[in-house]
Amino acid sequence: EREREREREGEDERKKVRRRMNNCKTCSTDAEAVVQRISRTLSVKRAVAKVNQLSKEDDKEKQQWEKTGRELLTDRSKRYSSHFNTLKTRSGDTESEGDSGHHGTVSSDSMPADGDPLDPLSSCNAQYAISLLQDGLRVDSVVIDNIKARMALTTPIVHELERVKGKGISKDEIADIRKGLLREAGCFALLKQLEEKGTMNDEALKETKMSESGVHFFRTIYYGAVPDILTTDDEQYSDLRKVIRATLSKLFVNNMAKEHFSVRDWYTSRGIQPRPTYTCSLISSSDLLLGQGPNGGHGGTGIYKDAMERERAKADMQQHLTRMTSHVKELWMSGHDINQRIFHRVNRDEEVIGFLVGLKEMKVGTVIALGFPRSYNMTNVKTLICGKTGYADADLFSRPAFQALERRDEVYKKNTARDFFNYFGAKDGDDGLPWRDVGKGVRACQIQEFSLISTLVKSLKNDIGAPMDVYDLEVSWTDGCLCTRVDEVLKLRVINIRTWDQGPSLLLKDQVSELVETVLHIHPDSSFVFIHCAGGIGRTGNLAYGLSEILCPDVPKDPLKKLEWLRSQRQGCIQSPEQLVDGMILSHMIMEEVVERSLKSS
């Protein structure tokens, strides 16, 4: 009997093999098979092994959240629906007819599972509202009132932004801002000297215990020319100047010291923050991922290492379940220079492929990309300096690795390199990826065996003219070769917000509404939202500060402690006081949008 059972199992296995062979794509010649194998080695297999994985702790928490957390949130949110009792009746619970109209009070029926009433200032209120709106249910007035109460915490900064003028930044304000940089860097000797003597002269600088290069750096910043867009009354950049000026307003109170302080005072007192170790980080108990874009942290660069070195790298990945943050030099190269050599092309292509495969594995359905897929001119809002020369004139490009670059290319004449590769098909991308127009607003690109189709859905601009472009991106590829074949598809909603490095997003109401709309239509099978910029801390932290109101539970009530909480999730989040003020404004606008939608649902 056991012999016949083994024969049946053997026959079943042979049938499975025959089915796989019938379905696979075979090669007609040995040469074609070798080419196919090399192509797979340089693309999919390597990319899958070196994707932007989470730390071991984040990966464990992500699995736990997917297993129980999201379902628990949905169940709890229904307790705060106007027809909670109707839902209970439908599910088989007994409910008296007289209680079926409960609305507007917190009773035992409208408490979380642990029996405690919902905290009026908790971020869970907005999360519950979003969950109910996703299910097409009405939001209870208690939840709406609680969201309004939380909004009151950021109302002072909103009113201050309305109060301050958008006129040019004065010399005294510029001096205060730049003194803040010294305070943040811990250069108290320089700061004391400035306050006592009003200058950084060579004789006085001898008294400080700073290196010559450090003194030169801060002197250059402190006395650097401020661009006209900040010192004049140019109407286009009025909103930017308002945010800068609002960072100086002393709106917060230290009750113990009985003194008022500004966002800039508090921010710079925290000192220079460490950078994150890993490419991406998971915000606890949420669908929110933060990280760097495709610019070096996702695909790796050493494709020509020997076999032993490759195995060591692979073992490290499997052991730590992480990918260290880094950048590839192709990020600073023009598309023309990248495409001149296969080594540079493969590095760029593998970075894009690794990024996309990583999103697939992490079940990401929405990506918010903050920055530019091309080189650009920008003003550093933090230092108030605008570079006058191309970024290729920096010391970095004196190294041998960059000696052969075509410096005449227009790409190198901008003062800032691209933030990430153009994986979503923007018209002005300058990284050399072979995007082509195939229809109105539709572009296609082939990267090795990966087919990318990008559709521009809409474009919304803020008051300074910076666009927020919304794309639908579909990526398809075939995994496996010769004997096996699996067709893979990744569908993403990509929102590209063009924001300067270390600068605020300055979103308007219709742009915020689009963000909330996107969250409301997240598919359960690809529910994670990935926010990235170049390094995954500054502009990423700015947006995460706002979106955490509807994507994360138990976010601190205090707007300043909220930043400390965010940095506990990913080091270095938010790189300037302007981004912190903008994050507070964005939080307020997002909650306001949720309240409006909740009232309509009622």
Side-chain angles (χ1 to χ4, degrees):
E1 180 67 23
R2 284 196 296 270
E3 187 67 29
R4 283 196 297 270
E5 186 175 345
R6 281 197 294 270
E7 287 178 1
R8 284 197 299 271
E9 290 175 352
E11 182 59 28
D12 290 342
E13 187 63 30
R14 286 190 290 273
K15 287 180 180 178
K16 290 179 182 178
V17 172
R18 284 196 294 272
R19 281 198 298 270
R20 286 199 298 268
M21 292 294 291
N22 290 335
N23 293 330
C24 75
K25 177 182 177 182
T26 58
C27 301
S28 56
T29 65
D30 289 343
E32 187 177 343
V34 171
V35 170
Q36 178 82 347
R37 182 179 179 182
I38 293 175
S39 174
R40 301 302 297 164
T41 301
L42 292 178
S43 60
V44 176
K45 287 182 179 177
R46 229 183 132 266
V48 169
K50 293 194 173 187
V51 299
N52 52 348
Q53 299 207 27
L54 302 165
S55 67
K56 192 172 183 179
E57 293 76 12
D58 278 354
D59 187 63
K60 182 179 179 180
E61 186 167 339
K62 177 175 178 287
Q63 292 178 23
Q64 183 65 29
W65 166 253
E66 287 184 294
K67 186 176 180 180
T68 59
R70 192 181 296 113
E71 184 178 348
L72 178 61
L73 171 65
T74 303
D75 181 62
R76 279 185 162 193
S77 67
K78 288 178 179 177
R79 296 175 177 269
Y80 295 94
S81 170
S82 294
H83 19 214
F84 170 65
N85 298 307
T86 306
L87 291 170
K88 288 177 66 178
T89 303
R90 287 177 181 172
S91 63
D93 292 338
T94 59
E95 186 72 36
S96 66
E97 188 174 333
D99 289 339
S100 63
H102 164 73
H103 186 278
T105 60
V106 180
S107 66
S108 59
D109 285 339
S110 62
M111 290 183 182
D114 56 11
D116 295 328
L118 189 63
D119 181 352
L121 297 179
S122 171
S123 63
C124 291
N125 289 284
Q127 263 199 309
Y128 291 164
I130 286 291
S131 182
L132 292 168
L133 291 171
Q134 286 174 330
D135 292 338
L137 300 173
R138 290 198 299 272
V139 181
D140 194 278
S141 62
V142 173
V143 174
I144 297 174
D145 290 342
N146 288 350
I147 298 172
K148 290 179 180 178
R150 187 175 174 92
M151 286 173 61
L153 300 174
T154 49
T155 297
I157 197 73
V158 171
H159 288 169
E160 183 64 14
L161 197 69
E162 295 170 350
R163 187 192 68 81
V164 297
K165 306 296 183 183
K167 62 182 182 180
I169 306 295
S170 69
K171 289 183 178 180
D172 289 342
E173 289 172 324
I174 291 169
D176 284 345
I177 290 169
R178 288 178 169 171
K179 284 178 183 177
L181 296 176
L182 296 176
R183 189 183 307 112
E184 184 180 357
C187 302
F188 298 110
L190 279 179
L191 189 60
K192 182 179 179 181
Q193 186 185 112
L194 279 170
E195 290 173 348
E196 292 178 353
K197 303 180 180 181
T199 184
M200 289 188 197
N201 58 62
D202 292 336
E203 185 176 341
L205 286 173
K206 293 177 182 178
E207 301 172 10
T208 65
K209 296 180 180 180
M210 285 185 65
S211 66
E212 185 178 340
S213 60
V215 170
H216 176 73
F217 174 75
F218 283 105
R219 176 188 273 170
T220 301
I221 290 178
Y222 191 81
Y223 292 112
V226 182
D228 291 342
I229 64 169
L230 298 180
T231 58
T232 65
D233 296 343
D234 184 349
E235 187 62 31
Q236 181 180 352
Y237 294 95
S238 174
D239 285 354
L240 178 58
R241 293 191 295 271
K242 283 185 175 183
V243 169
I244 294 173
R245 187 165 277 119
T247 67
L248 299 167
S249 300
K250 297 186 181 296
L251 299 176
F252 296 88
V253 182
N254 183 339
N255 289 323
M256 294 183 65
K258 295 183 180 179
E259 63 180 7
H260 288 71
F261 60 94
S262 67
V263 169
R264 187 172 296 276
D265 292 335
W266 183 87
Y267 181 92
T268 55
S269 71
R270 312 334 269 180
I272 294 177
Q273 298 294 308
R275 298 183 68 87
T277 305
Y278 303 124
T279 299
C280 63
S281 307
L282 172 70
I283 304 299
S284 298
S285 303
S286 77
D287 286 330
L288 188 58
L289 290 158
L290 312 181
Q292 71 182 80
N295 54 24
H298 305 279
T301 57
I303 62 172
Y304 296 125
K305 294 178 180 178
D306 60 43
M308 187 177 297
E309 200 170 350
R310 279 200 303 271
E311 285 304 313
R312 280 202 301 268
K314 184 178 179 182
D316 288 341
M317 279 295 296
Q318 291 172 344
Q319 180 180 355
H320 301 296
L321 284 175
T322 185
R323 178 71 182 152
M324 298 300 217
T325 182
S326 62
H327 290 96
V328 289
K329 64 184 177 185
E330 287 75 19
L331 180 65
W332 292 280
M333 297 171 64
S334 70
H336 175 268
D337 284 331
I338 293 174
N339 289 333
Q340 288 296 303
R341 291 186 59 193
I342 186 171
F343 175 77
H344 295 313
R345 290 202 306 272
V346 171
N347 278 351
R348 175 200 61 199
D349 294 352
E350 280 218 332
E351 177 63 15
V352 174
I353 289 170
F355 176 72
L356 295 172
V357 171
L359 296 180
K360 170 79 173 177
E361 291 195 341
M362 292 190 293
K363 299 181 180 178
V364 172
T366 302
V367 179
I368 302 176
L370 296 132
F372 294 73
R374 61 170 176 81
S375 63
Y376 58 103
N377 287 320
M378 60 157 270
T379 293
N380 189 315
V381 177
K382 186 168 184 174
T383 62
L384 308 183
I385 288 177
C386 180
K388 300 296 184 183
T389 59
Y391 73 87
D393 295 328
D395 293 340
L396 170 71
F397 288 84
S398 63
R399 298 176 185 176
F402 295 99
Q403 290 293 316
L405 299 184
E406 284 285 345
R407 304 295 183 87
R408 294 186 300 274
D409 197 308
E410 286 296 320
V411 170
Y412 300 119
K413 295 180 181 178
K414 306 293 185 182
N415 68 18
T416 307
R418 73 179 69 88
D419 293 306
F420 38 76
F421 294 121
N422 184 26
Y423 65 94
F424 48 82
K427 279 271 193 179
D428 57 353
D430 61 6
D431 56 13
L433 283 172
W435 285 99
R436 65 187 189 283
D437 295 325
V438 295
K440 187 175 180 181
V442 182
R443 309 192 79 205
C445 179
Q446 189 73 29
I447 306 177
Q448 297 175 18
E449 294 183 8
F450 287 70
S451 298
L452 285 67
I453 303 292
S454 172
T455 304
L456 178 62
V457 178
K458 64 176 66 174
S459 184
L460 305 167
K461 290 187 177 181
N462 63 9
D463 285 343
I464 69 171
M468 182 175 93
D469 297 324
V470 182
Y471 299 88
D472 281 335
L473 179 66
E474 181 172 316
V475 185
S476 57
W477 68 96
T478 301
D479 203 357
C481 63
L482 298 178
C483 296
T484 60
R485 171 177 174 169
V486 178
D487 292 329
E488 301 277 6
V489 177
L490 169 67
K491 293 184 178 181
L492 294 172
R493 168 60 60 94
V494 180
I495 301 177
N496 177 215
I497 302 173
R498 299 292 177 98
T499 308
W500 291 341
D501 187 19
Q502 302 195 52
S505 60
L506 302 175
L507 298 184
L508 299 179
K509 182 175 176 56
D510 59 341
Q511 295 172 316
V512 171
S513 180
E514 182 63 32
L515 288 177
V516 175
E517 183 73 14
T518 299
V519 171
L520 287 172
H521 287 86
I522 287 176
H523 194 278
D525 293 337
S526 53
S527 62
F528 284 87
V529 177
F530 186 86
I531 306 177
H532 77 79
C533 52
I537 52 177
R539 291 164 287 186
T540 295
N542 187 168
L543 255 287
Y545 188 100
L547 281 175
S548 62
E549 290 293 340
I550 56 176
L551 289 174
C552 304
D554 302 321
V555 177
K557 309 174 183 67
D558 187 315
L560 299 178
K561 290 183 178 179
K562 181 178 175 181
L563 176 57
E564 294 181 334
W565 164 81
L566 188 60
R567 285 176 170 174
S568 73
Q569 306 289 318
R570 183 167 177 81
Q571 289 180 312
C573 272
I574 297 190
Q575 290 180 292
S576 67
E578 289 78 14
Q579 288 179 337
L580 178 53
V581 166
D582 189 72
M584 294 178 185
I585 300 296
L586 182 58
S587 294
H588 192 93
M589 294 176 71
I590 287 174
M591 287 187 283
E592 189 174 47
E593 180 71 22
V594 172
V595 166
E596 289 180 5
R597 291 173 181 260
S598 298
L599 290 172
K600 289 179 181 178
S601 76
S602 300

